[in-house]
Amino acid sequence: LAVVPADLPPRRGAMSLLVHLAKKNKNNIIFFTGAMSVLVPALYSMKRIPGGHVAVKEDWTGNVYPDIYDTSEMVICIPFYQRLVHMRTIPVRKRFIKEFETKDGKQVEVRLLTRLQAKVHWMPEIYQGFGKDYGRSILERDCTVDIRQVVSQYDFAELTRGSAERIDEITDDLKARLMDTCHVNKVKMSVEDTTIVFVDPDADPDE
């Protein structure tokens, strides 16, 4: 059975009972509302970083802060104004395939497979310059220039049907250029995990 407060006037309906209880507990309701309005945004603003990543903070205008946060830290962001961007610290495997023009005006397909790793202390600059998928951006924007320059120095036949020694010389030169480009952009490229192949784009893949 419901217990009706003794000071409640008789013959009042359910709505009157609720109004009466609300008036009696006005201070408690105000306190609860105020506490929740502070607690919910505070909990929402606390961010944890997953393993194998660091994070940089970015505001809604695109401004990237210079601080770097790792998995041992609990980061506080201002809700709706700041956000954390998670950046991988472990090496990432990247595949790049694109056609380039050779010295004799033909098209050759370059297939590049490599492993890249960003230098942690430069994460804010790397994110600001290349975005979260920095590996793909560096290959498509900067390394493309090196590949184009090297390919333009050789004939199609020399790249696709040259001797193994000659192909190794060309790929070693290209790897050195790509490493320099990655180094300038504060990213490590693993030479041991990098392979470069020149392919005739019109060739039968089953051959």
Side-chain angles (χ1 to χ4, degrees):
L1 296 177
V3 179
V4 179
D7 55 346
L8 181 66
R11 291 188 296 275
R12 286 193 175 186
M15 185 59 68
S16 299
L17 177 60
L18 292 176
V19 172
H20 177 75
L21 292 176
K23 288 180 178 179
K24 288 193 63 177
N25 296 278
K26 180 178 179 180
N27 292 336
N28 293 334
I29 293 174
I30 293 175
F31 175 79
F32 176 79
T33 303
M36 292 302 295
S37 64
V38 173
L39 181 61
V40 171
L43 291 176
Y44 182 75
S45 67
M46 299 174 68
K47 307 293 183 180
R48 184 172 292 279
I49 303 165
H53 293 72
V54 295
V56 296
K57 189 183 293 186
E58 180 183 28
D59 63 29
W60 69 278
T61 64
N63 180 45
V64 180
Y65 296 81
D67 304 305
I68 302 171
Y69 307 94
D70 60 27
T71 54
S72 64
E73 298 179 80
M74 180 69 74
V75 186
I76 297 178
C77 293
I78 302 175
F80 311 111
Y81 179 71
Q82 297 175 330
R83 73 185 186 105
L84 278 186
V85 181
H86 298 151
M87 305 285 288
R88 291 183 63 176
T89 57
I90 59 178
V92 292
R93 198 170 183 84
K94 290 296 179 181
R95 184 187 302 273
F96 178 77
I97 301 175
K98 190 174 181 179
E99 293 184 12
F100 295 88
E101 186 174 345
T102 62
K103 184 178 180 180
D104 52 352
K106 297 182 179 180
Q107 294 294 314
V108 66
E109 184 177 276
V110 178
R111 299 179 181 179
L112 168 67
L113 183 64
T114 188
R115 194 180 296 273
L116 303 175
Q117 183 179 19
K119 297 180 180 179
V120 174
H121 296 297
W122 293 93
M123 278 299 191
E125 290 78 5
I126 293 172
Y127 172 71
Q128 195 163 29
F130 299 100
K132 188 173 182 179
D133 191 4
Y134 60 86
R136 173 62 55 185
S137 299
I138 290 175
L139 290 176
E140 292 182 348
R141 195 179 78 182
D142 290 10
C143 292
T144 297
V145 177
D146 296 318
I147 299 174
R148 182 178 292 110
Q149 289 177 350
V150 171
V151 169
S152 65
Q153 298 175 12
Y154 303 95
D155 293 334
F156 176 82
E158 193 173 7
L159 292 172
T160 57
R161 296 189 296 274
S163 65
E165 293 78 9
R166 186 56 174 159
I167 295 297
D168 288 342
E169 290 178 5
I170 297 172
T171 55
D172 288 345
D173 175 41
L174 183 52
K175 288 179 184 179
R177 291 172 181 246
L178 296 177
M179 283 193 64
D180 290 341
T181 298
C182 291
H183 178 73
V184 169
N185 291 309
K186 315 304 180 186
V187 173
K188 302 175 185 177
M189 188 184 84
S190 174
V191 179
E192 295 78 11
D193 296 321
T194 300
T195 58
I196 301 173
V197 180
F198 302 104
V199 180
D200 181 358
D202 298 325
D204 188 344
D206 295 329
E207 292 182 355

